[in-house]
Amino acid sequence: MAIKINETHDPNLTSWVESSNISGNDFPIQNLPFGVFKRTHVDEEPRIGVAIGDQILDIAACVRANLIDGPAAESCFSSHLNDLLALGPESWSILRLHLSRLLRADSSVYQAHYELSDQILVPMSQATLLLPVEIGDYTDAYASIYHATNVGRLFRPDNPLLPNYKFVPVAYHGRASSIAASGSEVRRPKGQIRQLADDQPVFMASTQLDYEVEAGIIIGPGNQLGAAIPISQAEQYIFGICLVNDWSARDIQRWEYQPLGPFLAKSFMTSVSPWIVTMEALAPYRSPAFSRPLGDPQPLPYLFALGDQAQGGIDLTVEVYLCSSLMREQHIEPMLLSRSNLTDMYWTFAQIIAHHTSNGCNLCPGDMIASGTISGPSEDSLGSLLEITRGGKELLALPSGERRAFLEDGDEVIMRGFCERGPYARIGLGECQGCVLPAELPFKG
Amino acid sequence: MAIKINETHDPNLTSWVESSNISGNDFPIQNLPFGVFKRTHVDEEPRIGVAIGDQILDIAACVRANLIDGPAAESCFSSHLNDLLALGPESWSILRLHLSRLLRADSSVYQAHYELSDQILVPMSQATLLLPVEIGDYTDAYASIYHATNVGRLFRPDNPLLPNYKFVPVAYHGRASSIAASGSEVRRPKGQIRQLADDQPVFMASTQLDYEVEAGIIIGPGNQLGAAIPISQAEQYIFGICLVNDWSARDIQRWEYQPLGPFLAKSFMTSVSPWIVTMEALAPYRSPAFSRPLGDPQPLPYLFALGDQAQGGIDLTVEVYLCSSLMREQHIEPMLLSRSNLTDMYWTFAQIIAHHTSNGCNLCPGDMIASGTISGPSEDSLGSLLEITRGGKELLALPSGERRAFLEDGDEVIMRGFCERGPYARIGLGECQGCVLPAELPFKG
């Protein structure tokens, strides 16, 4: 079921883009993630590129220079990936192979046309990275049993993990319009908050602003309404993966979420990292599905496939860093808050897709499905402040001497993700970053 | 705050389209709802029209014939209303006035060009009506306190109405991709169902398929992310209204909905009526907001405006009819199941918009916000079978001698909506119709 390892994954490959060969960089030639960019301060159309070291390969420019061709390459004259997404895995794979061959140190095409490198490369430092996808529908899952248990304990002490959790890959519809690219400022939301159990609610700025570190898959070709996707085919519908910060206002959430689920506590902003790492690039880092403890029910047949059990996980490490205004003033490095791994998810993305479409619901090119908060079993793998501070009760000490229950204005949250395994190259997802701004003043209306 | 009554509402107006002058028809000249159509079996582009009697006025054809002009009219060469929606209330109003003047019995433009009527009118019987809007985000509210209490009693007998209900215009994100035009077939969904409390869930076709009758508003110009819409301005963001059938699988819903809300129980299909009746057309039928009983909390200030209290309601009657296969065979007319009214909503659409954007969430042209099930206080005003049959316990008798707990295959659900008041013309929303097909056979995968 998972994509086979091929020549593009060869750990011995290097590129003529020297910065991509530096050990530890997120974008070696084995990665080639797709994004949308334009040169900052240049009046030009956004277009599709791949990250290579500290550069962006401008695919449209490569097509114009006759260095590559084909329908996938030609879909890159666009301000979003959606047309490319609709083409499907074979087209993506052909384009990826062409790009890999073009970027290799021994590329004959490059050697014949090395004078073109200024035309086809844009330094990342001179580019603005945009939201890469027009996201039609956004679904957020809840796939970490550790997160579900930790949060459940705070919201429902007597009933932390609900009885459906081990049967249903629980998910809900999120707000698509407020998904923004990494780097977008995060305005502290206002909302109805009930501070004590018998109080009247008041409308005020959230005092319990939080992040959640997640991974999001981007859907390639969709399915027809009414035609469920069998789990054995589910991965063919995934183009790639990015980091997601599901910013959350816990005080708003606690009051609003019954009975229809989270709404305004989440819909003020969701940040995503700008580079979509393809499922093909992730092939060397696949892992077995979550190993259910003895006594846990087996997945129902529509959620079970041998290939998914064997390879449905992704060995992706995600890290969250925090940097306060004071830390920036004092030149203190961002503080690592957590390091967790996508293999700790109770449900695989294939299971989530099979479930999502099992009622006939149609997925479309550009839909995003996020994992839910990636929390692991250990104290240093908790993917939200809610979990780290036990709902704000155990303050977090920052290296500046400050303390945090939840996020303060000026706090910057940085998420990073990467895969490394055995002989294979380390590849990264880049960063998902956002800085908290104070709440808006009252309505002008 | 509400739109003023003007010459387009004059009850004495008649049209040269004779069928629109027949008493009781949904589309008199005082209505002029917008939709998207193409002629059935003709290979042509869909475009925007307004309903007038049993005809569709082809706005694009009117522009081509130089009968009307302006940016709003020119936006009607499109397969969806979104460009028109983005233009805003002044443009809509000017276009509506031009269309009204063109269609009046004494129209001088028409009298000068009556030979064009074949070019600018398409009989509705020869047209296919399409989904009129590209819906970006779909939000479903829960604005009937009667419905919330009835359903709460079935799902949580000890706790029917949650403590937030009278403070928060509760809503959740729905699935946009599976919204379909009236007339689309409704495939019975499959899903995880737990039949008895201690059973293991099984994956099977829903046996508790239901409808919910709702009204949906279509958003015109959107707001910027971070810029809340004050309640006093909220109605300016609404283009118009349609009927919504929020098809629901109760057995799937009961098992999946905790803690993140309804998901697959609803996302298999949502049907909408094809004609969007504008807020301007609704001006004569506005009503005060719900009259809260003594002891109920007043809305928080961000949800309170004098204009909204005085005129935020809409006196829209909605009816639901059921017709089984057997009834069709026996030529029995569809049976009226309920008649309810949008003025029974505890929350107005302006309150829902003010709440929805109060955290900074951005609405976009073409978003749909549905009211939630429109149930009133009386037994004949219950907007879902769940409420009518008390969760399937009290069977509904059909005139064919059949009985129903929930919908059976072959059942057709027809929703109608209309406004009538005092001297003003009766205007209708048309129909939202759907027929239930059997569940799909098992996955071919």
Side-chain angles (χ1 to χ4, degrees):
Chain A
M1 191 168 75
I3 293 165
K4 290 208 177 75
I5 290 175
N6 60 41
E7 64 171 84
T8 66
H9 302 104
D10 182 344
N12 298 315
L13 289 181
T14 57
S15 170
W16 49 263
V17 181
E18 293 292 347
S19 60
S20 73
N21 303 324
I22 297 168
S23 168
N25 115 83
D26 276 349
F27 307 122
I29 191 168
Q30 291 82 3
N31 192 349
L32 304 178
F34 288 77
V36 170
F37 74 100
K38 67 177 283 298
R39 284 175 297 168
T40 312
H41 308 308
V42 177
D43 183 21
E44 63 180 12
E45 291 297 309
R47 54 204 184 271
I48 296 173
V50 295
I52 180 80
D54 61 7
Q55 304 288 312
I56 301 167
L57 181 74
D58 181 340
I59 301 176
C62 294
V63 173
R64 272 196 301 265
N66 293 314
L67 301 180
I68 51 174
D69 59 10
E74 279 149 25
S75 77
C76 293
F77 293 84
S78 177
S79 60
H80 49 73
L81 296 174
N82 296 51
D83 293 338
L84 175 61
L85 297 173
L87 293 176
E90 280 185 43
S91 297
W92 309 331
S93 188
I94 292 168
L95 175 58
R96 182 181 149 80
L97 180 63
H98 288 172
L99 294 170
S100 172
R101 288 178 177 170
L102 176 64
L103 285 165
R104 288 176 201 173
D106 63 357
S107 162
S108 57
V109 174
Y110 176 69
Q111 282 161 4
H113 300 281
Y114 65 91
E115 77 286 356
L116 294 175
S117 64
D118 281 357
Q119 289 174 39
I120 61 173
L121 290 183
V122 173
M124 234 179 260
S125 60
Q126 294 173 23
T128 301
L129 298 172
L130 305 172
L131 188 65
V133 179
E134 280 190 0
I135 296 171
D137 275 295
Y138 160 43
T139 298
D140 198 12
Y142 198 53
S144 161
I145 195 168
Y146 305 110
H147 173 71
T149 307
N150 294 338
V151 171
R153 194 175 290 127
L154 293 166
F155 278 44
R156 295 174 303 276
D158 49 336
N159 198 14
L161 195 69
L162 293 166
N164 58 9
Y165 189 85
K166 293 178 177 178
F167 294 94
V168 179
V170 169
Y172 77 108
H173 307 297
R175 180 83 192 173
S177 70
S178 53
I179 299 174
S182 171
S184 302
E185 291 168 331
V186 183
R187 181 69 65 183
R188 178 180 299 277
K190 293 187 282 196
Q192 272 195 45
I193 293 166
R194 191 174 66 159
Q195 295 187 294
L196 295 169
D198 292 321
D199 278 6
Q200 296 276 305
V202 292
F203 184 76
M204 57 182 280
S206 170
T207 63
Q208 300 191 342
L209 183 58
D210 199 358
Y211 63 84
E212 294 189 339
V213 62
E214 308 195 9
I217 55 168
I218 302 295
I219 296 296
N223 59 310
Q224 291 290 316
L225 186 64
I229 299 175
I231 185 167
S232 59
Q233 295 172 20
E235 287 223 356
Q236 298 170 27
Y237 291 79
I238 311 176
F239 174 73
I241 200 165
C242 61
L243 293 168
V244 177
N245 186 342
D246 180 25
W247 302 94
S248 299
R250 302 303 180 186
D251 37 11
I252 297 175
Q253 187 176 357
R254 190 175 290 106
W255 174 233
E256 75 168 357
Y257 91 105
Q258 292 262 28
L260 300 185
F263 185 54
L264 301 187
K266 309 267 193 175
S267 64
F268 57 94
M269 164 140 326
T270 305
S271 303
V272 298
S273 57
W275 295 110
I276 313 296
V277 173
T278 61
M279 292 307 282
E280 184 166 323
L282 293 168
Y285 317 100
R286 301 308 299 268
S287 284
F290 187 85
S291 179
R292 294 181 171 218
L294 209 67
D296 275 16
Q298 283 307 297
L300 291 184
Y302 80 105
L303 298 174
F304 185 89
L306 286 174
D308 184 54
Q309 292 295 309
Q311 294 270 24
I314 304 172
D315 186 1
L316 170 74
T317 300
V318 293
E319 295 175 337
V320 182
Y321 296 84
L322 179 67
C323 193
S324 70
S325 305
L326 188 60
M327 288 168 69
R328 288 195 296 278
E329 275 172 34
Q330 297 181 347
H331 305 288
I332 302 173
E333 290 290 299
M335 174 193 181
L336 178 68
L337 298 189
S338 70
R339 181 180 288 129
S340 51
N341 194 292
L342 202 53
T343 53
D344 279 328
M345 299 287 103
Y346 197 83
W347 297 103
T348 66
F349 281 119
Q351 288 174 317
I352 294 167
I353 288 174
H355 181 65
H356 200 321
T357 64
S358 65
N359 68 344
C361 181
N362 53 331
L363 304 180
C364 301
D367 285 350
M368 182 167 86
I369 304 176
S371 59
T373 308
I374 305 170
S375 291
S378 64
E379 284 298 299
D380 56 0
S381 65
L382 303 173
S384 65
L385 277 179
L386 182 74
E387 294 168 83
I388 293 173
T389 69
R390 308 283 187 276
K393 292 195 193 75
E394 299 176 13
L395 298 186
L396 174 74
L398 305 188
S400 51
E402 298 168 282
R403 287 165 177 274
R404 288 288 180 275
F406 292 98
L407 296 172
E408 300 287 340
D409 295 344
D411 283 356
E412 184 187 3
V413 177
I414 304 152
M415 299 177 171
R416 294 184 186 139
F418 57 88
C419 298
E420 50 190 352
R421 174 179 286 175
Y424 292 102
R426 174 194 182 285
I427 66 171
L429 268 63
E431 277 189 7
C432 182
Q433 182 271 358
C435 188
V436 177
L437 296 188
E440 279 280 4
L441 294 174
F443 298 141
K444 288 159 225 124
Chain B
M1 189 170 78
I3 292 166
K4 290 207 177 73
I5 291 174
N6 60 41
E7 63 170 85
T8 66
H9 302 104
D10 182 345
N12 298 315
L13 288 182
T14 56
S15 171
W16 49 264
V17 181
E18 294 292 345
S19 61
S20 74
N21 303 324
I22 298 170
S23 168
N25 114 83
D26 276 349
F27 308 122
I29 191 169
Q30 291 83 1
N31 192 349
L32 304 178
F34 287 77
V36 171
F37 73 99
K38 66 178 283 298
R39 283 176 296 167
T40 311
H41 308 309
V42 177
D43 183 21
E44 63 180 12
E45 291 297 309
R47 54 205 183 271
I48 296 174
V50 294
I52 180 77
D54 61 6
Q55 304 288 312
I56 301 168
L57 181 73
D58 181 339
I59 302 176
C62 294
V63 173
R64 271 197 302 264
N66 293 313
L67 301 181
I68 51 173
D69 58 11
E74 280 150 23
S75 75
C76 293
F77 293 84
S78 176
S79 60
H80 49 74
L81 296 174
N82 296 52
D83 294 338
L84 175 61
L85 297 173
L87 293 176
E90 280 184 44
S91 297
W92 309 331
S93 188
I94 291 168
L95 175 58
R96 182 181 150 80
L97 181 62
H98 288 172
L99 294 171
S100 172
R101 289 179 177 170
L102 177 62
L103 285 166
R104 290 177 200 173
D106 62 356
S107 164
S108 58
V109 174
Y110 175 69
Q111 282 162 3
H113 301 282
Y114 64 91
E115 76 286 357
L116 294 175
S117 64
D118 280 357
Q119 289 175 40
I120 61 174
L121 289 184
V122 174
M124 234 180 259
S125 61
Q126 294 173 23
T128 301
L129 298 172
L130 306 172
L131 189 65
V133 180
E134 280 190 1
I135 296 170
D137 275 296
Y138 160 42
T139 299
D140 198 11
Y142 198 53
S144 161
I145 194 168
Y146 305 109
H147 173 71
T149 307
N150 293 338
V151 171
R153 194 173 290 128
L154 293 166
F155 278 45
R156 296 173 303 276
D158 49 336
N159 198 15
L161 195 69
L162 293 166
N164 57 9
Y165 189 85
K166 293 178 178 177
F167 294 94
V168 179
V170 168
Y172 77 107
H173 307 298
R175 179 82 192 174
S177 70
S178 52
I179 298 174
S182 170
S184 302
E185 291 169 332
V186 183
R187 181 69 65 184
R188 178 180 298 276
K190 292 186 283 195
Q192 272 196 42
I193 293 166
R194 191 174 66 158
Q195 295 188 292
L196 294 169
D198 292 321
D199 278 5
Q200 296 276 307
V202 293
F203 184 75
M204 57 183 278
S206 170
T207 62
Q208 299 190 343
L209 182 58
D210 199 358
Y211 62 84
E212 294 188 339
V213 62
E214 309 196 7
I217 55 168
I218 302 295
I219 296 296
N223 58 310
Q224 291 289 317
L225 186 64
I229 299 175
I231 185 167
S232 60
Q233 295 171 21
E235 287 222 355
Q236 298 170 27
Y237 291 80
I238 311 176
F239 174 73
I241 199 165
C242 60
L243 293 168
V244 177
N245 186 341
D246 180 24
W247 303 93
S248 299
R250 302 303 178 186
D251 37 10
I252 298 174
Q253 185 175 357
R254 190 174 289 107
W255 173 234
E256 76 168 356
Y257 90 106
Q258 292 264 26
L260 300 185
F263 185 55
L264 300 187
K266 308 267 193 175
S267 63
F268 58 94
M269 165 137 332
T270 305
S271 304
V272 299
S273 58
W275 295 110
I276 314 297
V277 173
T278 62
M279 292 307 281
E280 186 166 322
L282 294 168
Y285 318 100
R286 302 306 299 267
S287 283
F290 186 86
S291 178
R292 293 180 171 220
L294 210 67
D296 275 16
Q298 282 307 295
L300 291 183
Y302 80 105
L303 298 175
F304 185 89
L306 286 174
D308 185 54
Q309 291 296 308
Q311 294 271 24
I314 303 173
D315 185 2
L316 170 73
T317 300
V318 294
E319 296 174 336
V320 181
Y321 295 84
L322 179 66
C323 193
S324 69
S325 304
L326 187 59
M327 287 167 70
R328 288 194 296 280
E329 276 173 33
Q330 299 180 345
H331 305 288
I332 302 173
E333 289 291 298
M335 175 192 180
L336 177 68
L337 298 188
S338 70
R339 180 180 288 130
S340 53
N341 194 292
L342 202 54
T343 54
D344 278 328
M345 299 287 102
Y346 197 82
W347 298 103
T348 67
F349 281 119
Q351 287 174 318
I352 294 168
I353 288 175
H355 181 65
H356 199 321
T357 64
S358 65
N359 68 343
C361 181
N362 54 330
L363 304 180
C364 300
D367 286 350
M368 182 168 86
I369 304 177
S371 58
T373 308
I374 306 171
S375 292
S378 63
E379 284 298 299
D380 57 359
S381 66
L382 303 173
S384 65
L385 277 179
L386 182 75
E387 294 168 84
I388 293 173
T389 68
R390 307 284 189 274
K393 292 196 194 74
E394 300 177 13
L395 299 187
L396 173 73
L398 305 189
S400 52
E402 298 169 281
R403 288 166 175 272
R404 287 289 181 274
F406 291 97
L407 296 172
E408 301 287 339
D409 294 344
D411 282 356
E412 185 187 1
V413 178
I414 304 153
M415 299 177 171
R416 294 185 186 138
F418 57 87
C419 298
E420 51 189 351
R421 174 180 287 175
Y424 292 102
R426 175 194 182 283
I427 65 171
L429 268 63
E431 277 189 7
C432 183
Q433 181 271 358
C435 188
V436 177
L437 297 188
E440 279 280 4
L441 294 175
F443 298 140
K444 288 160 222 121

